[in-house]
Amino acid sequence: MVASLEEHHWDAVVLSGSSLNMSQSLSAAALAKDLMVLLRCTDVPILGVCFGMQLMAVAYGGEVARLDEARQGTFELTADGPLASGRIEAFFHHQDAVVEARGAARVALPE
């Protein structure tokens, strides 16, 4: 995957949501390990959304935990970076959450 990023000269990568979850998927742990290699070998900005953020958290040594019950709703944030700029409104629905994020430049969480 790293070679693919450099080969295609991508400006950015977005790791989006998934029906997988970190607390029940053995393949998620393997994905996080592969992602750690990617994150440390490229200067391409990477945005993790929902499951993508959870993968990034685990890849950097953070922690993801199962919540007692699912959370859903919308949130707004103002972005000013290489991946997005301006006001963003997003929907979320998850039962796993990042409880410790290490190595992140910025983390946006709904309250």
Side-chain angles (χ1 to χ4, degrees):
M1 183 183 268
V2 174
S4 184
L5 281 175
E6 293 168 355
E7 177 182 312
H8 294 291
H9 305 289
W10 291 342
D11 295 325
V13 172
V14 176
L15 299 171
S16 64
S18 172
S19 60
L20 295 174
N21 65 64
M22 294 299 292
S23 62
Q24 296 176 332
S25 175
L26 294 176
S27 62
L31 283 171
K33 286 180 184 178
D34 290 344
L35 180 60
M36 184 168 56
V37 172
L38 170 69
L39 291 171
R40 296 181 191 275
C41 294
T42 183
D43 291 331
V44 174
I46 301 173
L47 172 65
V49 178
C50 296
F51 184 70
M53 178 181 168
Q54 294 169 15
L55 282 174
M56 290 178 72
V58 171
Y60 273 113
E63 184 181 347
V64 174
R66 189 83 169 162
L67 301 171
D68 291 335
E69 48 184 69
R71 294 182 184 171
Q72 63 182 10
T74 60
F75 68 96
E76 292 182 13
L77 61 95
T78 301
D80 181 22
L83 295 173
S85 177
R87 192 177 129 255
I88 299 170
E89 182 175 356
F91 170 79
F92 68 91
H93 181 267
H94 60 268
Q95 193 158 349
D96 290 346
V98 175
V99 294
E100 182 179 353
R102 295 184 185 164
R106 294 184 203 164
V107 176
L109 299 169
E111 293 190 35

